[in-house]
Each structure stands twice: as structure tokens, then as C-alpha cells.
Amino acid sequence: GGATAAAMEGVRKAIAEARFEEVAGICEDIETEVPEIDHIAEQLYAAEIVGHLYNDNLNEARFCWKRTPDAVKQTATMQMVHRLLQCLWSKAYREFHPAIAAFQWADPFGGLVKALNEKIVSKIEAIIEQAYSIISVRDFASFLALSPEQAVTVAERKGWSVDDKKEMIQIRRKDKESTERIPDNSLEQMTKYIVHLDPS
């Protein structure tokens, strides 16, 4: 028992120190090296899947879900983790926000979920920046689960123009170099993103 509890300490430490990209790998090591993981299985598999989502390794996250014992899959935490995985797998970004808002996970694990949320919000902003030159404040707010007022603040902070009525946002793209760092920015991927972003 002591060895198992100590094993999870490495995961807690990585999250507490904001080494989020290391979480999935630490969990995989525990999975393969610690003989008895039954009483930490829920925390272990949940942290491993969210860690993979943070690293944008959706395939690894799915494989981890598939090998999670059925009894563990039924827990409330694992069901919430699976919902996040489903939203990101299907690029259902509007559904991602309520799913992550419903996710109450005790610290330090809550820090990992918060980091994932911030990363996904940045990704959605980057997708919108590439896909649109003009977007309504209402749509922009709904993509990011913000109030219209908050959406205007975000747009202005990014140096985008908002009309006097606070209804439309004109997007100013950053230079080419900065957009090239965004993964999945091939034309085909962008088209898929726009389909998922655009509810019409």
C-alpha cells in the first residue's frame, strides 16, 4: 500500500509544480511498474487521460480509456474524464466548456483540469483567428463560454476591432510565424474545425 501511495506522490508533485506535460508519462510508469494499483486506479487513469488530453495525444487518451477496468470507468470522476475526451475527440468545443465546468476534482488534480481548460481556450482562440476575419460577438462568446461583455474584453486584449454596437469583431491575424506554431493548421484540418465551430 505504501509504495502505491508514494507512486501517486510523483503525479501530485508534477501537477503542483505545473509540469503538466509530464503527468501522462508518470502515470504510465506507475501503471506498468506498481503491482497493486486497485485503490488508486480511479485517480491514476483519470490523471493519465487528462494528461494525454493536455499533451494533445487524443489517441493515447482513448487507448488509456479502453484499458481502464470497467468498474473504474463507472465512477463519477471517470465519467467526467470520458466526457472531456469525447468533446475533444469530436472537436465539440461548445460542449467542452460545460463539461469541464462540471468537473469538480480535488487539488492538486484540479490544477491539471484548469491547465487543460486554459490550453483548449487558447487553441479555440487560435482556430477562430485562422478561420474568421469577422465574427459576431455572440458566436465568439459562445465558442469560449463567455458573456458578450467578457468576449469583447478578450477581443480587445488581442488587438481586434469591435464595432460601436459591440456586435461584431474584426479579427487581425498575427504574423505568419506565430500562426505556424498552431498544430492542425493545414487547410483540410481548418475546414473540419470551421464545420465544428459553425453551428449553421
Side-chain angles (χ1 to χ4, degrees):
T4 325
M8 284 307 286
E9 198 47 49
V11 180
R12 288 191 183 88
K13 196 165 186 289
I15 296 170
E17 294 173 1
R19 291 182 284 114
F20 304 116
E21 68 286 348
E22 296 176 24
V23 169
I26 295 169
C27 291
E28 282 179 341
D29 290 344
I30 296 169
E31 209 185 332
T32 52
E33 291 165 15
V34 177
E36 288 293 324
I37 61 167
D38 288 356
H39 68 287
I40 59 158
E42 180 189 32
Q43 279 190 341
L44 178 67
Y45 287 112
E48 189 171 330
I49 290 170
V50 176
H52 283 310
L53 295 179
Y54 180 84
N55 292 339
D56 209 17
N57 289 338
L58 298 184
N59 278 323
E60 292 296 335
R62 283 185 91 192
F63 288 137
C64 185
W65 172 259
K66 283 177 180 171
R67 67 176 180 269
T68 301
D70 286 341
V72 179
K73 283 181 180 174
Q74 302 311 315
T75 69
T77 296
M78 286 303 288
Q79 286 294 310
M80 288 191 287
V81 167
H82 189 232
R83 183 81 190 106
L84 296 182
L85 170 56
Q86 286 176 313
C87 289
L88 295 180
W89 182 263
S90 60
K91 297 186 174 69
Y93 293 117
R94 288 173 194 260
E95 282 85 57
F96 174 81
H97 300 297
I100 205 159
F103 198 149
Q104 301 300 316
W105 206 9
D107 282 332
F109 298 100
L112 179 59
V113 174
K114 187 167 180 282
L116 172 65
N117 189 34
E118 288 169 1
K119 196 164 187 185
I120 297 303
V121 166
S122 295
K123 183 174 183 173
I124 295 169
E125 286 181 8
I127 291 164
I128 290 169
E129 192 168 324
Q130 290 195 341
Y132 293 86
S133 52
I134 294 177
I135 188 170
S136 73
V137 168
R138 195 185 66 223
D139 281 348
F140 186 57
S142 103
F143 291 143
L144 297 172
L146 300 172
S147 69
E149 293 75 22
Q150 289 170 318
V152 166
T153 303
V154 170
E156 287 173 341
R157 195 178 68 227
K158 293 174 80 64
W160 298 346
S161 308
V162 182
D163 71 347
D164 293 339
K165 291 181 182 172
K166 307 283 190 219
E167 288 174 1
M168 301 302 292
I169 298 168
Q170 185 159 9
I171 292 169
R172 291 199 186 94
R173 287 178 182 76
K174 294 194 187 81
D175 57 55
K176 192 166 182 290
E177 186 201 12
S178 65
T179 58
E180 277 178 353
R181 290 198 209 101
I182 299 155
D184 300 332
N185 69 343
S186 69
L187 193 60
E188 182 193 0
Q189 284 287 347
M190 278 313 311
T191 309
K192 285 182 195 163
Y193 278 134
I194 296 164
V195 169
H196 284 286
L197 286 171
D198 194 340
S200 58

